[in-house]
Amino acid sequence: LEYAKGRLSELPGVSLLGHPEHQASVLSFVMDGVHPHDIGTILDTEGVAIRAGHHCAQPLMQRFGVPSTARASFCAFNTRDEVDALIAGMGKVREVFG
């Protein structure tokens, strides 16, 4: 999780939402100028699965001022290589949307 947070935070135009003191292994993020559903679609073509939408949390989306987010979930079996695949896929998103 910490590795993924660090890598996503380095990407231009990507913002992580929420900074809880005790965090579950879920990262919600947005990318400037790109709808989360588009992020999810492009990542899917790159073999990376995420969720995109309001995640049944519309009041939280309103609090953050976004219609939806992209969300990556991690577990004990995820590897740094998989995080790197997410980051590479986000590069493809930026490539498509400029």
Side-chain angles (χ1 to χ4, degrees):
L1 179 67
E2 291 302 315
Y3 180 69
K5 283 170 55 174
R7 293 296 313 273
L8 277 170
S9 296
E10 295 170 353
L11 297 178
V14 173
S15 300
L16 297 175
L17 299 177
H19 303 284
E21 183 177 336
H22 302 286
Q23 184 169 7
S25 57
V26 175
L27 294 176
S28 293
F29 59 94
V30 293
M31 181 180 249
D32 293 343
V34 184
H35 194 281
H37 289 134
D38 293 325
I39 294 171
T41 298
I42 292 170
L43 288 177
D44 183 52
T45 65
E46 298 296 308
V48 177
I50 65 162
R51 298 292 306 251
H54 54 70
H55 316 292
C56 297
Q58 293 93 328
L60 184 60
M61 298 298 125
Q62 288 176 338
R63 180 188 181 287
F64 286 120
V66 297
S68 60
T69 66
R71 184 181 76 196
S73 301
F74 302 94
C75 192
F77 57 78
N78 288 113
T79 65
R80 287 180 180 233
D81 288 343
E82 291 169 323
V83 173
D84 292 341
L86 167 65
I87 300 306
M90 291 297 290
K92 182 70 170 183
V93 172
R94 181 53 62 209
E95 195 177 298
V96 169
F97 284 92

